Amino acid sequence: MFEQEPLKYEYDALEPYIDKETMELHYSKHHKGYVDKLNKAVEGTEFAEMNLFELIENLDRVPEEIRTAVANNGGQHLNHTLFWKNLSPNGGDEPTGELLSTIESTFGSFKDFKEKFAESASTLFGSGWTFLALNSEGGLEIIKKSNQGNPIEDGKRPILALDVWEHAYYLKYKNKRPDYIEAFWNVVDWEEVQERFDEEI
Ligand code: MN
């Protein structure tokens, strides 16, 4: 069985950048819906016992009749789990140490990185996600994915995720996705991102 991890902050803790109503609906309806549908799809199979990363890495082994449901809902479960964890009411500062120096050497500066990430997220057509991910050489890449996509599919490890589905911002920001992306930087938990950057593969 797959479960939603509890949020490490209250629904209103990310105000004014991400509003309480959006957080509550997003976590308790949208994300929960993906987890419920995933559990229904894998019920009684060996895949119900896997951890989430294993499941996404082994999608080609999932029987065809449940593969789409597992890929869609499993991908969304994984992406939301990453997203909630890389947000914090105490976020918004800048990365430090090796993460910062790798961002600078890859993108020019932290400001350049934020601009490129924001451009990727704002130009993604339709629903999807933008990630900062580590490739197998230890380099950083900005990756955008439609729908439930995740860099794990390409052998890369996501360390920062931004949900740009309309349900993530429409109540507060309406059609102004770039304003939501700009607000996002105020609640990024760079310590969490740093921990993922430091993790052994
Ligand atoms: Mn979402």
Side-chain angles (χ1 to χ4, degrees):
M1 288 284 283
F2 294 93
E3 285 178 17
Q4 268 183 303
E5 288 180 35
L7 288 177
K8 58 186 181 182
Y9 40 78
E10 301 296 322
Y11 289 136
D12 63 358
L14 306 178
E15 296 259 13
Y17 308 109
I18 303 178
D19 60 291
K20 180 185 178 186
E21 190 182 8
T22 296
M23 282 300 298
E24 185 162 5
L25 280 169
H26 199 172
Y27 179 83
S28 71
K29 304 289 182 197
H30 291 278
H31 183 189
K32 182 174 186 297
Y34 298 127
V35 178
D36 290 347
K37 286 179 197 147
L38 174 63
N39 282 325
K40 198 166 164 232
V42 298
E43 198 178 349
T45 72
E46 60 175 306
F47 303 100
E49 311 306 320
M50 284 185 172
N51 78 42
L52 198 47
F53 279 86
E54 263 185 308
L55 180 72
I56 300 302
E57 285 167 348
N58 285 283
L59 282 176
D60 54 338
R61 288 180 46 216
V62 175
E64 216 174 319
E65 61 269 24
I66 60 168
R67 192 180 300 151
T68 300
V70 171
N72 289 349
N73 294 295
Q76 283 292 73
H77 179 27
L78 174 63
N79 289 351
H80 284 90
T81 301
L82 295 170
F83 181 52
W84 305 134
K85 281 176 38 181
N86 67 225
L87 299 177
S88 166
N90 305 314
D93 43 0
E94 295 194 359
T96 55
E98 201 189 333
L99 174 58
L100 179 62
S101 59
T102 308
I103 286 174
E104 287 171 341
S105 62
T106 307
F107 304 103
S109 68
F110 181 58
K111 185 169 171 285
D112 289 331
F113 156 71
K114 289 205 294 185
E115 282 174 9
K116 285 171 186 159
F117 189 97
E119 191 195 343
S120 174
S122 59
T123 57
L124 187 146
F125 184 74
S127 297
W129 296 79
T130 293
F131 300 91
L132 179 63
L134 265 174
N135 60 34
S136 55
E137 286 86 47
L140 288 172
E141 296 178 25
I142 294 166
I143 294 173
K144 64 174 150 184
K145 289 280 183 183
S146 293
N147 301 320
Q148 85 295 342
N150 186 290
I152 292 171
E153 296 161 6
D154 314 317
K156 293 164 188 172
R157 190 153 51 88
I159 64 170
L160 174 67
L162 173 60
D163 189 345
V164 290
W165 284 57
E166 281 189 348
H167 68 225
Y169 62 87
Y170 207 84
L171 286 177
K172 182 176 172 74
Y173 294 98
K174 304 293 186 279
N175 59 321
K176 294 175 181 151
R177 189 193 284 180
D179 291 359
Y180 158 70
I181 298 165
E182 187 61 37
F184 163 71
W185 298 119
N186 293 288
V187 287
V188 173
D189 184 348
W190 286 107
E191 283 178 27
E192 171 73 28
V193 180
Q194 174 83 51
E195 276 175 33
R196 284 190 210 154
F197 179 77
D198 292 338
E199 265 171 29
E200 295 293 323
I201 297 176

